[in-house]
Amino acid sequence: MRHGEVENPDGVLYGRLPGYHLSELGRRMADRVGEHLASRDIVHVGASPLERAQETAEPIAKAHGLDIATDRRLIEAENVFQGKTFGIGDGALRRPANWKHVVNPFKPSWGEPYIDQVVRMTGALEAAKDAARGHEAVLVSHQLPIWIVRSYVEKRRLWHDPRRRQCTLASLTTFTYRGDKIVSVGYSEPALDLVPAHLRAGAKPAKGAGKAYGA
């Protein structure tokens, strides 16, 4: 699961910075997904250590009488632009100081290599599969790591256009195992009606909106 909306009035790419919590709308998203999953056979709930992920996981864990297992492998991708504004229409790519960080989108050169995200996220998936074998687990993470591990499982290239990620706020990307092998990947958006239109998967952000604030 991707976490819900974050309170971020300054439009900062918050990345791994502490202190960024769910907004009131984000909490409604988390509650909605918690209700959606209340009847599922969930025996394990894990989450990134970042506050927004922990807060998103809380309604799910509570509904099933579980503690949240914090797993650092689920954390947001590292990014050199963390703490700054860096988005569509803000002129970031025209600043010479930033050029050295955007020379290689295939790695990517501005942050944690895609392959490193694959390694840690597949490790988290495997651990959750073993913890919930024969049942279901929910892991709360962040948009980029979720999309990267899904792309890897579905045998797509890892470099991509961020605007084309299918990983809306509070969405569920489901990996189904048969034994120790992933046999299918699903996607659903139980809280879609709560997600602002410009933040939905495939939306075209307007100038000054839809910045890459961190996910």
Side-chain angles (χ1 to χ4, degrees):
M1 179 181 177
R2 183 184 173 193
H3 62 79
E5 185 191 60
V6 175
E7 188 67 34
N8 183 20
D10 296 325
V12 172
L13 195 159
Y14 37 78
R16 295 180 176 181
L17 292 174
Y20 283 88
H21 298 266
L22 292 182
S23 65
E24 181 58 36
L25 178 59
R27 292 184 180 279
R28 288 170 57 200
M29 292 177 182
D31 288 340
R32 171 72 63 79
V33 179
E35 294 168 2
H36 175 76
L37 296 175
S39 63
R40 305 294 301 191
D41 184 22
I42 295 167
V43 299
H44 177 81
V45 176
S48 156
L50 297 174
E51 292 97 333
R52 57 193 185 271
Q54 294 280 319
E55 291 163 0
T56 299
E58 283 174 5
I60 303 169
K62 183 178 179 180
H64 295 275
L66 300 170
D67 294 326
I68 299 170
T70 300
D71 189 337
R72 188 168 177 79
R73 292 173 293 190
L74 297 170
I75 200 167
E76 174 64 290
E78 188 176 15
N79 193 309
V80 298
F81 297 111
Q82 176 177 289
K84 303 176 183 178
T85 59
F86 187 85
I88 294 170
D90 71 357
L93 292 178
R94 293 194 295 271
R95 300 169 194 160
N98 290 338
W99 293 349
K100 64 184 177 182
H101 299 304
V102 295
V103 295
N104 184 1
F106 306 105
K107 186 178 181 180
S109 52
W110 55 82
E112 181 183 11
Y114 293 136
I115 192 61
D116 290 357
Q117 295 177 55
V118 168
V119 170
R120 63 178 174 85
M121 289 293 285
T122 54
L125 282 175
E126 288 292 314
K129 175 258 296 176
D130 290 339
R133 192 176 290 275
H135 305 276
E136 295 179 90
V138 175
L139 302 177
V140 182
S141 186
H142 308 267
Q143 186 190 60
L144 180 55
I146 294 170
W147 181 249
I148 289 299
V149 74
R150 177 180 172 182
S151 296
Y152 173 79
V153 169
E154 294 183 327
K155 302 187 185 324
R156 286 193 303 274
R157 67 191 185 196
L158 301 184
W159 61 272
H160 61 282
D161 181 343
R163 296 168 297 181
R164 297 185 178 275
R165 295 173 190 160
Q166 188 185 41
C167 193
T168 299
L169 289 166
S171 61
L172 296 170
T173 300
T174 304
F175 299 87
T176 300
Y177 283 83
R178 182 174 295 128
D180 293 323
K181 182 180 180 181
I182 296 174
V183 294
S184 67
V185 179
Y187 179 77
S188 61
E189 298 172 334
L192 181 62
D193 61 302
L194 299 177
V195 179
H198 72 282
L199 295 178
R200 296 179 183 181
K204 294 181 180 180
K207 185 175 181 179
K211 294 181 179 180
Y213 295 153

